Amino acid sequence: MELQTFEETVARAVGLREVLTAFVECDITYSGRAEAFLDRGERLFIIKADGAVLIHQPEGSSPINYMRPGSTLSFVRETSHLFLKVENSADKSTLEVNIYAVNECHSRKLEDGRKQDLAGNERDMSDWIRDHPESIAKDFQPISREEQTDVGFIDVLGHDKKGSIVVVECKRITASLTAVDQLRRYVERVKEIKGVKKVKGVLAAPAITPNALEMLTSWGFVFAKVDPPKRLERWQKNQKRLGEF
Amino acid sequence: MELQTFEETVARAVGLREVLTAFVECDITYSGRAEAFLDRGERLFIIKADGAVLIHQPEGSSPINYMRPGSTLSFVRETSHLFLKVENSADKSTLEVNIYAVNECHSRKLEDGRKQDLAGNERDMSDWIRDHPESIAKDFQPISREEQTDVGFIDVLGHDKKGSIVVVECKRITASLTAVDQLRRYVERVKEIKGVKKVKGVLAAPAITPNALEMLTSWGFVFAKVDPPKRLERWQKNQKRLGEF
DNA sequence: GGGGAGAGATGCCGC
DNA sequence: GCGGCATTTCTCCCC
């Protein structure tokens, strides 16, 4: 595709708030929260309806460069190539793209107002713990969930049979040192707020790293093995393969 | 585009390790680390050369659904639509896509082996601090950078004029509570390793949140205002606008 | 809008 | 491969 045509196609798509894709040969300079340069190569170039720009190399799940929604585009026609400048005034960043060739540029207005329904996150896990307090300890009695403090919110707050306050921090995946840090911060804050010396800390997760467990126990906290709830379980090891290629 | 043609185009592109894009009307069910459902709408569908799959809604910078590199695809032709199953055996996840219409499906082999050169990250910042120790304190003398311990690596380790060990944690953006947690963990570990009671802790960042500063000082640590180094500064407030639209 | 934390986080490096 | 952690993290929620 002619670079001139590409420029016109982009201008039209942006004006109509269409989504545009193109295979382009380019080099890229980014300046914003950091600075980066990517030498000449073939990439997938995307403009979304809200002014977000994504550039993907042929491999990897993440874009190699991107600009946030609300970015503006401008072109300068050079002798041998096209210079595209993408700017975002909100975060004061720029993306400069020298475009040497364009293949397969297409755009289309996409109609989609749907939001995704998601299950199996940490909130679901703290819900499950509230409903299954025995998973934390035999005598655990939950009081509140997602309790707000100035140092973050506590996943589950409760007490034991003796009346001691219990702070529970949930992780849906293997808990690491940072989870222990977090729990410690909450326990210390609760001690200050409630004016008590003894507050129990529980880290609830499907697993914990050895270092984290060591640090956890050194602080007098305990680990509770809890698996995050799943409403469905679609993966089966011995499933049929249909027309795989 | 006919669904039959789409199926063939995808099969061909995957076989050739091409990158493919298409505008599709679909609904999506994901099952893996969590579970999610997205009702029918028009989206941008992408397959990358390494078997990564991305689905983008018309707005937002992140994909609404994705599958990691190494995923496999299979089709089932239903009466009214096409059923696409994407599976990844490595993480035991599946993405099920009911495709009702396809527009503008294109694929191409992309040649790109380039890696991005990035500047202005946290490592650059700790380099800069090593070369400008006065930014931490008048008498700060750096010893090592990115020192490995079992509880993480210390950005900059040094000592003051009196010989006291100083631990520096860098953040390239506003430091928050988690940065203080991290610093505290390192300081405690260094005390244990070196067998000394007094170790200084410095949090170096361009800014710090009020809560983090309070927690920092309560632990006897100090804040050092340090801006992350930038090799270029391309943003100018009063720049020319060239053919913006 | 800032602060805090989760995320289907991803990606990198070191052991 | 696991662990620890930065990330142009992104996104959401709550104050």
Side-chain angles (χ1 to χ4, degrees):
Chain A
M1 175 188 270
E2 291 292 322
L3 296 178
Q4 175 70 28
T5 313
F6 175 68
E7 182 178 338
E8 291 164 4
T9 305
V10 169
R12 185 175 175 283
V14 169
L16 295 172
R17 294 179 62 87
E18 294 182 342
V19 175
L20 178 143
T21 69
F23 297 122
V24 303
E25 186 180 349
C26 63
D27 61 51
I28 307 162
T29 304
Y30 164 79
S31 178
R33 286 197 270 202
E35 285 162 352
F37 177 71
L38 181 62
D39 218 336
R40 192 163 164 170
E42 294 182 330
R43 284 113 202 185
L44 169 62
F45 176 81
I46 300 166
I47 306 172
K48 295 182 72 170
D50 57 4
V53 174
L54 307 170
I55 299 177
H56 277 269
Q57 289 185 300
E59 301 192 345
S61 20
S62 302
I64 190 66
N65 281 107
Y66 59 89
M67 293 286 280
R68 274 171 241 297
S71 301
T72 57
L73 288 78
S74 57
F75 284 105
V76 179
R77 192 73 179 85
E78 304 283 350
T79 50
S80 64
H81 68 281
L82 193 60
F83 173 74
L84 166 63
K85 190 170 194 171
V86 187
E87 296 175 84
N88 189 301
S89 56
D91 60 11
K92 293 193 170 80
S93 64
T94 61
L95 194 67
E96 297 177 335
V97 187
N98 289 307
I99 299 171
Y100 303 98
V102 176
N103 293 285
E104 302 293 358
C105 171
H106 303 278
S107 69
R108 185 179 168 85
K109 180 79 176 172
L110 295 186
E111 301 292 342
D112 183 14
R114 301 293 184 170
K115 290 206 171 181
Q116 190 165 228
D117 182 26
L118 194 140
N121 53 15
E122 197 184 89
R123 192 193 171 101
D124 285 340
M125 190 170 164
S126 65
D127 278 341
W128 189 88
I129 287 171
R130 181 199 51 200
D131 299 334
H132 301 79
E134 70 282 359
S135 61
I136 299 301
K138 283 179 183 172
D139 63 345
F140 177 65
Q141 298 194 354
I143 301 165
S144 68
R145 235 190 66 261
E146 313 218 337
E147 175 95 0
Q148 292 285 342
T149 77
D150 57 346
V151 295
F153 67 83
I154 296 166
D155 289 334
V156 185
L157 194 65
H159 61 79
D160 64 13
K161 206 159 41 185
K162 296 174 192 165
S164 296
I165 297 172
V166 180
V167 173
V168 181
E169 172 60 28
C170 304
K171 290 294 166 210
R172 58 194 302 286
I173 52 174
T174 302
S176 67
L177 295 167
T178 56
V180 182
D181 284 338
Q182 222 180 321
L183 177 61
R184 173 161 62 149
R185 194 191 326 138
Y186 297 153
V187 167
E188 284 168 356
R189 195 75 189 92
V190 169
K191 282 182 186 171
E192 285 177 25
I193 294 169
K194 304 283 182 179
V196 291
K197 283 180 185 171
K198 175 69 184 169
V199 170
K200 289 187 178 177
V202 179
L203 187 51
I208 184 168
T209 66
N211 282 350
L213 181 60
E214 190 185 331
M215 187 170 152
L216 187 79
T217 51
S218 82
W219 280 92
F221 303 142
V222 294
F223 171 69
K225 185 180 184 317
V226 177
D227 286 305
K230 283 198 178 184
R231 296 198 192 131
L232 309 167
E233 186 63 79
R234 285 167 182 275
W235 181 267
Q236 294 127 0
K237 272 190 178 175
N238 302 319
Q239 57 194 317
K240 287 182 193 173
R241 304 276 164 167
L242 301 164
E244 180 181 318
F245 44 80
Chain B
M1 175 188 270
E2 291 293 323
L3 296 178
Q4 174 71 26
T5 313
F6 175 68
E7 183 178 338
E8 291 163 5
T9 306
V10 169
R12 186 175 175 281
V14 170
L16 296 171
R17 291 179 63 87
E18 294 183 340
V19 174
L20 178 144
T21 69
F23 297 121
V24 302
E25 185 178 349
C26 63
D27 61 51
I28 306 162
T29 303
Y30 163 80
S31 178
R33 288 198 268 204
E35 284 161 354
F37 178 72
L38 181 62
D39 218 337
R40 193 165 165 167
E42 294 182 331
R43 284 113 202 185
L44 170 60
F45 175 81
I46 300 166
I47 307 172
K48 294 181 74 171
D50 57 3
V53 174
L54 307 171
I55 300 177
H56 277 269
Q57 289 185 299
E59 301 192 344
S61 18
S62 301
I64 190 66
N65 280 109
Y66 57 90
M67 292 288 279
R68 273 167 238 295
S71 301
T72 56
L73 288 78
S74 57
F75 284 105
V76 179
R77 192 74 180 86
E78 305 283 350
T79 50
S80 64
H81 69 283
L82 193 59
F83 174 75
L84 167 62
K85 190 171 195 172
V86 187
E87 297 174 83
N88 189 300
S89 56
D91 61 10
K92 295 192 169 80
S93 64
T94 61
L95 194 67
E96 297 178 334
V97 187
N98 289 306
I99 300 172
Y100 303 99
V102 176
N103 294 286
E104 300 293 356
C105 171
H106 303 278
S107 69
R108 186 181 167 85
K109 180 81 176 171
L110 296 186
E111 299 292 340
D112 182 13
R114 302 291 185 172
K115 288 205 170 183
Q116 190 164 229
D117 181 27
L118 194 141
N121 53 14
E122 199 184 89
R123 191 191 172 104
D124 284 341
M125 191 170 165
S126 65
D127 278 342
W128 189 89
I129 287 171
R130 181 198 52 199
D131 299 335
H132 301 79
E134 71 282 358
S135 63
I136 299 301
K138 282 179 184 174
D139 62 346
F140 177 65
Q141 298 193 355
I143 302 166
S144 68
R145 235 191 66 262
E146 313 220 337
E147 175 94 2
Q148 293 285 342
T149 77
D150 58 344
V151 295
F153 67 83
I154 296 166
D155 288 333
V156 186
L157 194 64
H159 59 81
D160 64 13
K161 206 158 43 186
K162 296 173 192 164
S164 296
I165 296 172
V166 180
V167 173
V168 181
E169 172 60 28
C170 303
K171 289 294 162 207
R172 58 194 301 284
I173 53 173
T174 303
S176 65
L177 294 167
T178 56
V180 182
D181 284 338
Q182 222 181 318
L183 178 61
R184 174 162 61 150
R185 188 182 344 132
Y186 298 153
V187 167
E188 283 167 358
R189 195 74 191 90
V190 169
K191 282 182 185 171
E192 285 177 25
I193 295 169
K194 304 284 183 181
V196 291
K197 283 181 186 171
K198 175 69 184 170
V199 169
K200 288 186 178 177
V202 180
L203 186 52
I208 184 168
T209 65
N211 281 350
L213 182 60
E214 190 185 331
M215 188 170 152
L216 187 79
T217 51
S218 82
W219 279 91
F221 304 142
V222 295
F223 172 69
K225 186 183 183 313
V226 178
D227 286 305
K230 284 198 179 182
R231 297 195 192 134
L232 310 166
E233 185 61 80
R234 285 167 181 277
W235 182 266
Q236 294 126 2
K237 271 191 178 175
N238 303 319
Q239 56 195 317
K240 288 182 190 171
R241 304 275 164 167
L242 300 164
E244 181 182 319
F245 45 79

